[in-house]
Amino acid sequence: QFLAFQLDEKIGDTIGYRLRNDTKVSKHTRLEVMTEGVLTQIIQSDPELSHVALIIFDEFHERSLQGDLAFALTRELQTVFRNDLKLLLMSATLDVDYLCEALPEAKLLQSEGRSFPVELNYLAPKNSHRWREHALTVISDKMLHHNGSILVFVAGKSDIHFLLERLRIILPKQVNLCALFGELSLREQQQAISIPPPGQRKVVLATNIAETSLTIEGVNLVIDCGFEKVAVFDHASLMNKLIQQKISKASAVQRAGRAGRLMPGQCIRLFAKEDFERRPLHSVNDIQQADLLPMLIEAARWGVTSLSQLPLLELPRPIKEQQAWQELQNLLIIDKKLALTQHGNKVSMLACHPRLAHMILIAQTYDQNTTILACLIAALIEERDTFKSEQAK
């Protein structure tokens, strides 16, 4: 939407997008914005991508499982079918040394861009387990004494609600309080990133959705709790679960930079400087900690029997990959030769986790009510709590 606005056009003209359940493109569209998961599906159905000249992987430092897979597939199709296809990896905090070693044939382009100075301050809580109460105290003080708008980074949605409930009680009249996380509507997200009305300022409570890409108008102070929530595979539930962990140095730098996008700013880190120095430069990539089944079913669909057969930037631990292949066999999704079965082909066509797709297809062998129940369970697990969403409306 932002890109289309720059051209004074509607979405679907020069700039379009593709999502799993929504697409806006036309014969005039030259730039399509999509998720890595959608890109993977397009490659699976059209390996030559004959209509594409350039694929841009933005914020590549995030190294999601889908991003790693989509990049590996595009590198393979570039080698086999399209040596004229260009690939571009972009981020303000790329692990340049690692990528230059992994991709020796690639060209490195650097641009300093424009940024304003950001003053860094460290204000750690006395009790690290009560960081939310400490954050509340710091935010409350800055709401009363800081002139500009404030962006606060917290770990998750529950932390945002905790702070929202308490800050609303002491909210000055000239301050708008906004939340910013993935489940919000487009209108609510736009409200959080738009310029506040004249004479007003705002406090935006955000997860790491605001860490990259977004520029939140008017912000010149960032308060960073230093935590994030990441998906880690849980062997007990056989699903990913969200765990809270400390952010890396690269993420801390990204967050601080939000204060200096439009003017000189300040960043208050709610942890000690010594803590920051001990943190890893980059976060652990998803391929080492997330559930591999969604990646492996796409790999099997591509026709490989080992992730080492793909030009991935990083491979998971062999035992972890072996266990995931075995799990696909147990679900009858692949055979002993690690090729997709007829059931596996049907599973790969459903836009949900392989285990949930397997459940839905098995439910179909019973009756309609069982199938409806299976679909409802899959939706609740994968698409967040739809009942809560309706109550919020």
Side-chain angles (χ1 to χ4, degrees), residues 210-381:
E211 189 174 299
T212 57
S213 301
L214 292 173
T215 295
I216 301 180
E217 299 284 352
V219 167
N220 61 351
L221 171 61
V222 165
I223 299 175
D224 180 11
C225 74
F227 294 109
E228 65 180 348
K229 287 192 175 178
V230 296
V232 176
F233 182 62
D234 178 29
H235 290 278
S237 65
L238 298 179
M239 298 289 287
N240 284 334
K241 69 175 181 180
L242 286 177
I243 66 167
Q244 182 171 294
Q245 67 179 25
K246 293 180 179 181
I247 61 172
S248 66
K249 288 181 179 177
S251 291
V253 170
Q254 284 270 18
R255 292 181 176 189
R258 301 293 103 183
R261 294 296 293 268
L262 302 174
M263 66 192 85
Q266 179 187 11
C267 174
I268 300 174
R269 290 174 174 162
L270 302 183
F271 48 95
K273 186 174 182 180
E274 294 77 14
D275 183 2
F276 172 78
E277 297 297 340
R278 290 192 299 267
R279 296 188 180 200
L281 184 58
H282 295 278
S283 301
V284 176
N285 295 323
D286 277 359
I287 200 167
Q288 300 301 342
Q289 59 188 11
D291 186 2
L292 289 179
L293 259 63
M295 173 182 264
L296 289 191
I297 194 171
E298 293 297 339
R301 191 176 165 199
W302 189 249
V304 302
T305 57
S306 170
L307 291 180
S308 62
Q309 296 170 355
L310 291 172
L312 286 160
L313 289 171
E314 183 178 350
L315 292 171
R317 289 178 290 108
I319 185 64
K320 182 183 178 185
E321 181 180 347
Q322 183 182 354
Q323 289 171 342
W325 283 114
Q326 183 61 52
E327 180 64 19
L328 288 180
Q329 280 187 296
N330 294 341
L331 295 172
L332 306 179
I333 292 173
I334 58 173
D335 57 26
K336 292 182 179 180
K337 295 182 179 180
L338 306 188
L340 283 180
T341 61
Q342 184 177 2
H343 175 65
N345 274 308
K346 293 178 180 178
V347 167
S348 70
M349 293 297 107
L350 294 181
C352 58
H353 190 282
R355 287 192 189 90
L356 300 179
H358 170 75
M359 174 184 67
I360 292 170
L361 291 172
I362 295 300
Q364 280 188 312
T365 64
Y366 290 88
D367 53 49
Q368 185 178 19
N369 288 336
T370 306
T371 304
I372 292 172
L373 177 60
C375 291
L376 178 59
I377 292 171
L380 288 173
I381 292 174

Side-chain angles (χ1 to χ4, degrees), residues 16-281:
Y17 67 79
R18 290 183 189 270
L19 299 173
R20 187 169 65 179
N21 298 315
D22 187 19
T23 299
K24 283 192 178 181
V25 296
S26 69
K27 62 181 181 179
H28 304 293
T29 302
R30 297 188 61 199
L31 173 64
E32 292 188 24
V33 182
M34 64 185 68
T35 64
E36 297 98 335
V38 170
L39 174 59
T40 295
Q41 299 308 310
I42 291 174
I43 294 171
Q44 292 279 22
S45 59
D46 178 18
E48 294 188 21
L49 294 184
S50 54
H51 62 293
V52 177
L54 167 68
I55 299 177
I56 301 172
F57 291 87
D58 197 15
E59 306 300 353
F60 192 73
H61 73 279
E62 295 177 355
R63 293 292 303 278
S64 68
L65 211 58
Q66 287 285 4
D68 275 11
L69 176 63
F71 179 57
L73 295 182
T74 54
R75 288 181 69 198
E76 182 150 300
L77 74 87
Q78 182 188 50
T79 302
V80 177
F81 301 112
R82 294 281 314 280
N83 58 10
D84 62 317
L85 179 67
K86 299 292 188 296
L87 306 181
L88 175 61
L89 311 181
M90 301 198 307
S91 172
T93 54
L94 275 179
D95 190 348
V96 174
D97 293 338
Y98 173 80
L99 288 174
C100 285
E101 184 177 346
L103 305 168
E105 73 281 9
K107 295 181 180 180
L108 174 63
L109 305 176
Q110 291 179 300
S111 173
E112 294 300 324
R114 183 185 69 174
S115 61
F116 294 91
V118 176
E119 176 189 347
L120 284 176
N121 293 284
Y122 293 86
L123 196 58
K126 293 180 179 179
N127 183 343
S128 60
H129 296 293
R130 296 183 63 82
W131 67 267
R132 295 203 302 189
E133 289 78 5
H134 177 64
L136 179 63
T137 301
V138 175
I139 297 166
S140 302
D141 177 68
K142 293 301 177 181
M143 279 173 53
L144 296 173
H145 301 105
H146 182 71
N147 291 326
S149 293
I150 304 171
L151 171 60
V152 183
F153 282 102
V154 295
K157 186 176 66 172
S158 62
D159 305 312
I160 289 178
H161 289 316
F162 173 87
L163 294 171
L164 278 175
E165 291 176 3
R166 288 153 181 81
L167 289 172
R168 284 186 177 128
I169 300 173
I170 58 171
L171 187 70
K173 292 182 179 180
Q174 71 274 20
V175 176
N176 295 324
L177 195 57
C178 304
L180 187 58
F181 53 92
E183 294 177 45
L184 295 177
S185 67
L186 179 60
R187 182 186 62 80
E188 290 170 318
Q189 292 187 33
Q190 287 174 331
Q191 180 183 358
I193 68 174
S194 62
I195 301 174
Q200 296 281 310
R201 53 197 176 91
K202 62 185 175 183
V203 174
V204 181
L205 305 174
T207 61
N208 55 7
I209 189 176
E211 189 174 299
T212 57
S213 301
L214 292 173
T215 295
I216 301 180
E217 299 284 352
V219 167
N220 61 351
L221 171 61
V222 165
I223 299 175
D224 180 11
C225 74
F227 294 109
E228 65 180 348
K229 287 192 175 178
V230 296
V232 176
F233 182 62
D234 178 29
H235 290 278
S237 65
L238 298 179
M239 298 289 287
N240 284 334
K241 69 175 181 180
L242 286 177
I243 66 167
Q244 182 171 294
Q245 67 179 25
K246 293 180 179 181
I247 61 172
S248 66
K249 288 181 179 177
S251 291
V253 170
Q254 284 270 18
R255 292 181 176 189
R258 301 293 103 183
R261 294 296 293 268
L262 302 174
M263 66 192 85
Q266 179 187 11
C267 174
I268 300 174
R269 290 174 174 162
L270 302 183
F271 48 95
K273 186 174 182 180
E274 294 77 14
D275 183 2
F276 172 78
E277 297 297 340
R278 290 192 299 267
R279 296 188 180 200
L281 184 58

